[in-house]
Each structure stands twice: as C-alpha cells, then as structure tokens.
C-alpha cells in the first residue's frame, strides 16, 4: 500500500500503521477451485483516478456508487452505467476509509475509520463532514458498516462488539451504543475477526462475516446473541451483501464472490454460485445494483499497485 505524504503528522502515521497492520494480517489462503468466470459479459472496470488504495464501496441513488481511498480517506463517486468515477470528497489528512454505506434518504455517507476507532459521516449533498464519531477507545479496526431503518451498525475486527449510531427521521445522529456479542461471533482468537456486516429479515437480524473463522453469523441486534449459519466455510470472507435469502460474500484473496442461499429460520446456508472474474485483484467489498454487483479491488500485498478500480459483474439471485 502507498500513503499520501502531504502534511505528514502523528495522525497520518497512526493511520498508516493501522493499514500496514491490516495488510500484514490478511495472509493469502490457498486458492479454491474456480467457479464460472463471467469476464465475457464485458461489464465495466471503472478506475478510481488518483486513488492510493481502496476497500469500501456502497450504492448511491440509481446507478451511482461511492468508493473510498483506504490510504487517504478520500471518497470517489462513480456510475456503473457510464463506467466513470472521480474524486468526490477530499477529506482532512489523517483519515482512512474502510467499509461504507450510503443513507440516500438523508444524503449521508457512513464510513468506517479503521484503527482510529472512529466513524466518519459525510453529507453527500454539500460534501462536508457531518460528524466524526469515536466509537471506541479500545484496540480497534473499525471495518464495515450496515444501515437499518433506525441507524448504522459498525464492526470492530479487534473486539467482540458492534457499535450502533442512531439516525433520526431528518438525519440527526444520536449517541453511539455498544453491543457486546455472545456466542460464536464473539470469538477474538484470531488477529482479524469481525469484518463485513449487513442487515437481514427487515432489520430483525444482523449478519456478520468473521474472517478468522471463515464463517457467517447471525446476530440479534437487541441482545448481541449470535449463531453460526451452518453448512458454510468461506475462507478470506470480507464484505457481504444481503438481499432477501441471498448473501453475496466477497472472498478477497480468493478473488471471488460466493452467492449463498440462506434459510434464516434454520440458520443454514448453501453456496449456489462462485463468481470469478479475470479483473478481480483482491476484491474486498461489493454493492448491489439490481442484477449486478460492483466490487472494489483493494490489491492488498500487490507490489507497486498504481491503480485501483471497481469491477462490475453479474449477480443472479
């Protein structure tokens, strides 16, 4: 990874140290057998011009997406139909951008802040910072975020807890609440644990990806009780997307996305498809646009990576 050198300071050094630690923790696993390569679909590969890193992506309105520069925290806006992107928010020095979600109703963008233990909230209308939220002062890597009708949930890859930021009817932000997890999702034995997160079953359930355990878990958002979604082993699982009974699980170093059919009542799942694409280069997170997924290439541990891009693939339900 490469980092911006303008106005270096202690905040920038802390951010860089957190990203280096992240790269060191994400050690490649053996490559699984390939699924169908849908590169022949000729869907766009969209370069994030000038990006020094990448990790998070989220759907905006229509065919618009937002993606983050992991190293600098800057936000890009693009269009999967036009196949274009450009820098949208030039954020203050010292920030990073990991996972993110857009609240299109309130013109808000929630961004996970990595080792800082913070979340950043941006206004997608005027491009200003709405609020910087200190989610925790414990050891942290705030990794991903999910939105529900009531607010935003964040994961911490270093702690067995989630953080909830309430969002009011007009976009007002409430006080952060910490949800302690119990059950298998609370395992922090690995160096890198909770990762992706999504809402399911009309916000009655949260689904979290656990990189260390190669697993998906359901979490009760009221109690923190968790349970494993049985029948799945997902090495290098990272970001997840949920729609109905389907979960798309991005598996970064395997350069693939697994489409999983889930029975939430039985807490069991089956991999129905493995999406491969020759343009994947350590994808980390994805956003759903109808029958398409847009996945961002992070290129962790890729020597001298000079460009970072979004790869659009088919997403059968």
């Amino acid at each position: 990874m490469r980092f911006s050198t303008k106005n270096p300071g202690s905040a920038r050094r802390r951010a860089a140290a957190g990203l280096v630690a992240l790269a060191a923790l994400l050690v490649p696993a053996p490559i699984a057998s390939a699924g169908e390569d849908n590169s022949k679909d000729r869907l766009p590969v969209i370069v994030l011009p000038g990006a020094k890193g990448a990790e998070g992506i989220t759907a905006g309105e229509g065919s618009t997406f937002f993606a983050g520069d992991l190293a600098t925290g800057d936000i890009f806006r693009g269009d999967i139909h036009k196949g274009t992107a450009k820098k949208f928010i030039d954020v203050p020095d010292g920030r990073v951008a990991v996972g993110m979600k857009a609240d299109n109703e309130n013109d808000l963008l929630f961004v996970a802040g990595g080792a800082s233990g913070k979340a950043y909230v941006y206004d997608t209308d005027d491009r200003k910072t709405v609020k910087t939220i200190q989610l925790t002062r414990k050891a942290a890597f705030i990794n991903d975020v999910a939105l529900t009708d009531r607010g935003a949930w964040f994961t911490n890859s270093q702690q067995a807890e989630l953080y909830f930021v309430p969002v009011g009817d007009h976009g007002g932000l409430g006080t952060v609440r910490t949800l302690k997890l119990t059950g298998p999702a609370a395992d922090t034995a690995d160096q890198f644990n909770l990762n992706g997160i999504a809402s399911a079953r009309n916000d009655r359930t949260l689904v979290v990806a656990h990189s260390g355990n190669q697993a998906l878990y359901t979490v009760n958002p009221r109690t923190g009780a968790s349970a494993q979604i049985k029948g799945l082993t997902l090495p290098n699982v990272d970001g997840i997307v949920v729609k109905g009974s389907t979960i798309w699980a991005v598996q970064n170093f395997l350069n693939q996305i697994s489409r999983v059919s889930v029975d939430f009542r039985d807490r069991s799942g089956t991999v129905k498809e493995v999406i491969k694409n020759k343009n994947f280069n350590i994808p980390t997170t994805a956003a759903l646009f109808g029958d398409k997924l847009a996945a961002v290439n992070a290129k962790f541990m890729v020597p001298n990576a000079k460009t970072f891009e979004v790869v659009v693939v088919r997403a059968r339900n």
Side-chain angles (χ1 to χ4, degrees), residues 250-270:
V250 183
Q251 294 170 269
N252 48 43
F253 280 101
L254 296 187
N255 284 314
Q256 66 185 38
I257 301 174
S258 288
R259 178 170 61 87
V260 177
S261 178
V262 178
D263 183 333
F264 282 105
R265 291 184 179 180
D266 187 48
R267 296 193 184 97
S268 63
T270 304

Side-chain angles (χ1 to χ4, degrees), residues 265-279:
R265 291 184 179 180
D266 187 48
R267 296 193 184 97
S268 63
T270 304
V271 175
K272 294 295 187 180
E273 178 189 18
V274 177
I275 302 169
K276 293 278 190 176
N277 189 286
K278 67 182 181 182
N279 296 306

